[in-house]
Amino acid sequence: MADASSGSPSGSSTPNARFASQAHTAEDLLNEQTYGLVHLSDFRKRRAEARELSERTGQDGTPIHSGTATPDGREPATKSALKKRKKVVRTGGLSFGGDEHEEQNESGATATRGAAPRPDTPAQDPSGPPPDSEAAANGATAVKKRLRPNTSLAFQPKAQTKAALLRDNELKDQLRKQYTYLQEAVKQTDFMLPFTFFDGKGSPGGSCRMKKGDPIWMFLERARKVGADMAGRGDRSKKDWARIGVDDLMLVRGDLIVPHHYDFHYFLVNRAGGYNQQPIFAYSAEPTAATPPQLLLSTSQESSKATTPQPETTASSSAHLSTASTRKQVAAALPAALPDASLEGYLDDPSLTKVVDRRWYERNKHIYLASLWEDFDPARDYSKGVRKDGEGNALFYSRR
């Protein structure tokens, strides 16, 4: 009986060349790459590369394909390596061209066709849309999404056009004029300022009716006249006040010496304060009952004039005449000036305001109470300061 291995081609022990592996081993690759080498260093280099390829083949499980080596001895890239090097297309990004969208659609369609169903994936509902259409719709939505303004914002800035800037400037100018007119009316408001003459001991002085826009030197002049009148009525202690000038007088409010060139309105508007967190002059910076009504009326008329456009010259002149007549009528109907008892400051403590002879102060400024006085500094915050005497010693008590 003939041997079965030699009878049939399928059962023969000789391997068929069609079923032989086309992959080269590391030894075959080494033999091919070392043919014709002259130097030992080249041989060792090829052998190290062959061993590295054989180890990598054993780890990855991919055969070593034959091919022409590169000039530096490396094997050309395989198809799997070329696929990995393909550019990864991002989805959902902002784009302005159509080529990228087409590449994304083609890559998405290829991935969808090539994906095989996994055994653990649940069956899809036949009534619902197919998964390919959903993926394509999601991809198309992500690609076509564009940046748009957020309409959910509560406040959106307006465009700064030329007309808007002009309106803003007109509004600012109107408010500035209105504030200026209002402060001019406040400066004409009357108030009372009681005071005492101080020359080591406080002597009764009197009270002066002042306006909030008057300077300090005007108050000192009126206080000097009050002292001269008192001396003329027989008070001999005030005879020196009739011969003294305004430049030789000082106004001491609390423990601060107020310079002559300041006005009362400055302390009211800036809310200047002294020690013990008390204002230097505790009067109102707003219109009161003592404010002239005609000034407030002119303020409202000026503000309305700024808001309404002026038509023609004749109309403006007639409006001016009507305004003048209105002012005359208001002035005729104005009540008499308010009495002193109803003005601000009438019931203030006179000892807070001292009228002092400067020559006496220069001789006795090292003696208590004059040793506590200091010149007013507008840049200093007296509410956080520490009170000291003339020698720089801190005072640990509060004198009211």
Side-chain angles (χ1 to χ4, degrees):
M1 183 176 63
D3 190 3
S5 62
S6 62
S8 76
S10 60
S12 123
S13 60
T14 304
N16 194 341
R18 292 180 299 171
F19 301 101
S21 176
Q22 300 298 327
H24 288 208
T25 61
E27 296 179 359
D28 297 339
L29 192 60
L30 180 61
N31 293 334
E32 292 178 0
Q33 294 183 356
T34 57
Y35 180 78
L37 293 179
V38 178
H39 300 284
L40 180 60
S41 60
D42 296 339
F43 173 76
R44 289 177 178 174
K45 182 178 180 181
R46 297 293 192 275
R47 184 176 60 182
E49 293 177 354
R51 289 179 180 177
E52 183 181 356
L53 290 174
S54 63
E55 293 176 0
R56 187 168 57 189
T57 305
Q59 294 177 0
D60 300 343
T62 57
I64 302 176
H65 295 275
S66 61
T68 305
T70 57
D72 56 353
R74 292 181 296 177
E75 188 73 8
T78 59
K79 292 182 179 180
S80 60
L82 291 176
K83 289 181 180 180
K84 292 180 180 179
R85 294 178 186 176
K86 282 186 177 181
K87 182 179 179 181
V88 179
V89 181
R90 295 181 299 175
T91 59
L94 182 62
S95 174
F96 298 96
D99 298 338
E100 295 182 4
H101 303 334
E102 295 176 0
E103 291 178 4
Q104 292 174 4
N105 295 334
E106 291 177 1
S107 61
T110 305
T112 306
R113 289 197 302 268
R118 297 178 61 185
D120 56 346
T121 304
Q124 299 290 339
D125 188 5
S127 61
D132 296 344
S133 61
E134 293 179 359
N138 294 335
T141 304
V143 170
K144 293 182 180 180
K145 188 176 181 180
R146 294 291 183 271
L147 296 177
R148 295 183 177 86
N150 189 0
T151 57
S152 62
L153 294 177
F155 172 77
Q156 294 183 0
K158 298 181 180 179
Q160 292 293 333
T161 60
K162 186 176 181 180
L165 293 176
L166 289 176
R167 287 195 299 269
D168 293 343
N169 293 335
E170 291 177 357
L171 179 60
K172 291 179 181 179
D173 188 50
Q174 174 189 351
L175 295 176
R176 181 184 59 81
K177 291 181 179 180
Q178 184 177 358
Y179 177 79
T180 303
Y181 294 145
L182 182 63
Q183 295 305 315
E184 291 296 332
V186 171
K187 288 182 179 181
Q188 300 301 322
T189 304
D190 294 339
F191 71 99
M192 299 300 297
L193 184 59
F195 66 95
T196 59
F197 295 104
F198 189 86
D199 52 358
K201 62 181 183 299
S203 59
S207 182
C208 293
R209 182 168 182 151
M210 306 295 299
K211 294 185 181 298
K212 294 182 179 179
D214 292 341
I216 301 298
W217 66 264
M218 185 177 293
F219 164 73
L220 294 175
E221 174 65 21
R222 293 184 182 179
R224 187 192 67 82
K225 291 181 179 180
V226 171
D229 294 341
M230 295 175 65
R233 291 195 299 266
D235 191 353
R236 296 184 179 181
S237 61
K238 304 296 188 300
K239 62 180 180 179
D240 294 336
W241 297 101
R243 298 189 297 266
I244 196 173
V246 179
D247 296 337
D248 294 331
L249 294 178
M250 294 170 44
L251 171 61
V252 181
R253 181 73 175 183
D255 291 333
L256 298 177
I257 302 174
V258 184
H260 289 193
H261 62 276
Y262 283 97
D263 56 5
F264 297 101
H265 185 261
Y266 170 83
F267 297 96
L268 304 182
V269 172
N270 295 281
R271 298 179 181 178
Y275 291 109
N276 301 328
Q277 299 182 355
Q278 297 293 332
I280 299 178
F281 292 99
Y283 301 107
S284 175
E286 301 294 334
T288 61
T291 305
Q294 66 273 15
L295 296 181
L296 297 177
L297 179 61
S298 62
T299 301
S300 60
Q301 289 177 354
E302 292 293 342
S303 60
S304 62
K305 186 189 301 183
T307 54
T308 57
Q310 299 295 333
E312 297 179 357
T313 307
T314 55
S316 61
S317 59
S318 60
H320 179 72
L321 293 176
S322 62
T323 303
S325 60
T326 303
R327 289 181 179 178
K328 289 181 180 180
Q329 294 175 2
V330 171
L334 283 178
L338 296 177
D340 295 346
S342 60
L343 296 179
E344 291 181 280
Y346 180 77
L347 299 177
D348 288 354
D349 186 7
S351 62
L352 293 177
T353 307
K354 305 177 184 64
V355 178
V356 185
D357 187 352
R358 187 181 299 274
R359 295 168 295 182
W360 176 91
Y361 171 73
E362 293 296 336
R363 294 192 305 264
N364 301 277
K365 61 182 178 182
H366 61 285
I367 303 175
Y368 184 85
L369 183 64
S371 60
L372 300 178
W373 299 344
E374 55 182 296
D375 294 332
F376 171 73
D377 185 5
R380 181 179 174 184
D381 187 5
Y382 291 95
S383 61
K384 300 179 181 179
V386 178
R387 300 180 63 183
K388 299 180 180 180
D389 58 7
E391 298 180 358
N393 299 321
L395 301 177
F396 298 97
Y397 63 92
S398 175
R399 183 183 61 82
R400 297 184 180 277

